[in-house]
Amino acid sequence: FALLGAGMIWLFSQKVKKTGDEPFRFLPLAIFLSFFFYAIVVVFVSFYPWTGIFMVPKTAVYVWIVLMGLNAFRTLEK
């Protein structure tokens, strides 16, 4: 799971650097945050059930990713 996340972060960061794609410049950070918040829940929820609350910021990161895509789509229309 961690290797998959690290690979995705690396691939997207390389692609953003290569293309200079402005709407997606924070996509690697968003992917990292998504994996980070989910990892906290997976590791600690059996000991500390309240850590399930970290699914809320994970969902917020997903919304942020969708908004990045919407922003990119809008810049294509111009």
Side-chain angles (χ1 to χ4, degrees), residues 5-75:
M8 288 179 59
I9 292 165
W10 182 79
L11 285 172
F12 279 105
S13 65
Q14 294 302 312
K15 185 69 170 178
V16 168
K17 284 180 190 175
K18 188 176 188 179
T19 62
D21 211 355
E22 187 66 22
F24 295 112
R25 69 179 184 266
F26 293 114
L27 186 60
L29 173 63
I31 294 169
F32 169 78
L33 290 173
S34 173
F35 275 87
F36 176 74
F37 290 129
Y38 187 65
I40 289 174
V41 174
V42 168
V43 171
F44 295 111
V45 78
S46 59
F47 305 109
Y48 306 104
W50 59 269
T51 58
I53 196 71
F54 283 104
M55 292 304 281
V56 174
K58 179 183 176 17
T59 303
V61 170
Y62 281 169
V63 172
W64 183 28
I65 291 170
V66 169
L67 291 174
M68 281 186 230
L70 182 61
N71 186 30
F73 182 72
R74 286 185 179 159
T75 58

